[in-house]
Amino acid sequence: MPVYPEQAYAHASDADIAVRPITPGDVFDALGKGTADFWRHPSHYLFIALIYPLVGIALAVWSAGGATFALLYPLAAGFALIGPVAALGLYELSRRRERGEDDDPRHALAVLHHPAIGSMTAVGLLLAVLFILWITAAGAIYEAHFAIDPPTTLMGLITETLTTAQGWSLLFWGNLVGLIFALVVLATTVIAFPLLVDKGGSPGRAIGTSLRAFGKNPVPILLWGAVVALILLIASIPLFVGLAIALPILGHATWHLYRKLVP
């Protein structure tokens, strides 16, 4: 059974939580500590059930051909929007290690019994809605550029995207809108889930604390977002298989970034 102070979580105040300033060096230190947590008890097998559906989606889109090729990039980019939910169990493992408790990967599912699981679900649903909105927006941007004569092959799509005016316009507007979605998610949830695992409370307090952390540390947190995006991009090639390693490392690192921000 998971060990959580039920009374403390049940009466967790929604008062503001102190947020500390951090430096870019702290970002890389958190990443190093996250890597150490992962290698202490490699937990990549926990993500096989997550990776297989992603591979299935990618293969389905690939085999459908035609305009559906355009969904591959938004799907890979949009995964960063819902990645924090997938790492919930990893925050619990890092919390346990920090407290000197058993941090075997089997305890990752203990978070499902957390008193604040309702708040975690609410924030997770918010991210799911943002993911759906992003995919919808990406599809609309593509249709606006290639609805009349869409490429019928993947190479045709790549060629037209990189060598035509409408292709460059697609890249510009698609990445701009994607960046807006990514910034919203980064600012509102950068430490929301680790905070809920650590201290419980409401979704509003978790999101509000993340916003204050972002406001106090815009450069380090933007750097963190860029590092996460780069790692996820590399791990997604080919067919998302590298995510089985990248996600656990980033999940553990997120906990350590949270701990640097919230004493």
Side-chain angles (χ1 to χ4, degrees):
M1 290 291 293
V3 180
Y4 292 117
E6 296 283 346
Q7 284 282 52
Y9 280 110
H11 296 90
S13 169
D14 274 351
D16 283 351
I17 294 174
V19 174
R20 294 187 292 198
I22 62 172
T23 68
D26 289 320
V27 170
F28 294 104
D29 185 60
L31 189 61
K33 289 181 176 179
T35 303
D37 278 2
F38 171 74
W39 287 117
R40 173 182 168 86
H41 286 301
S43 50
H44 55 279
Y45 62 84
L46 295 173
F47 288 85
I48 296 301
L50 174 68
I51 302 305
Y52 277 146
L54 287 173
V55 173
I57 292 171
L59 290 176
V61 171
W62 186 285
S63 61
T68 56
F69 281 134
L71 291 177
L72 287 171
Y73 177 70
L75 283 171
F79 188 77
L81 304 182
I82 57 175
V85 180
L88 268 175
L90 301 176
Y91 309 144
E92 169 62 11
L93 295 181
S94 288
R95 183 192 75 86
R96 283 173 169 268
R97 183 181 184 187
E98 182 181 88
R99 294 166 63 91
E101 299 173 3
D102 183 6
D103 62 343
D104 188 274
R106 71 179 184 276
H107 293 296
L109 295 180
V111 74
L112 297 177
H113 304 282
H114 197 291
I117 189 63
S119 295
M120 298 176 200
T121 302
V123 180
L125 289 174
L126 171 64
L127 293 185
V129 169
L130 288 172
F131 178 76
I132 293 171
L133 289 175
W134 157 238
I135 296 299
T136 303
I141 293 171
Y142 178 81
E143 286 294 320
H145 288 82
F146 288 109
I148 297 177
D149 186 23
T152 57
T153 65
L154 179 59
M155 285 306 301
L157 174 62
I158 294 174
T159 300
E160 290 203 37
T161 300
L162 297 178
T163 62
T164 66
Q166 66 179 1
W168 283 105
S169 177
L170 172 66
L171 282 176
F172 174 78
W173 290 108
N175 283 293
L176 178 62
V177 173
L179 178 62
I180 293 172
F181 274 98
L183 287 175
V184 169
V185 171
L186 182 65
T188 56
T189 64
V190 61
I191 58 170
F193 288 106
L195 174 62
L196 288 171
V197 171
D198 186 34
K199 300 180 182 297
S202 70
R205 182 177 74 160
I207 292 173
T209 304
S210 287
L211 286 170
R212 288 191 294 107
F214 183 81
K216 182 172 286 190
N217 301 279
V219 172
I221 291 180
L222 285 173
L223 174 62
W224 168 251
V227 169
V228 169
L230 179 61
I231 291 175
L232 290 179
L233 176 62
I234 295 172
S236 297
I237 304 171
L239 294 178
F240 308 108
V241 293
L243 293 176
I245 301 297
L247 277 175
I249 290 175
L250 290 175
H252 291 303
T254 299
W255 172 267
H256 292 290
L257 183 71
Y258 157 73
R259 185 55 76 206
K260 290 178 179 296
L261 287 162
V262 176

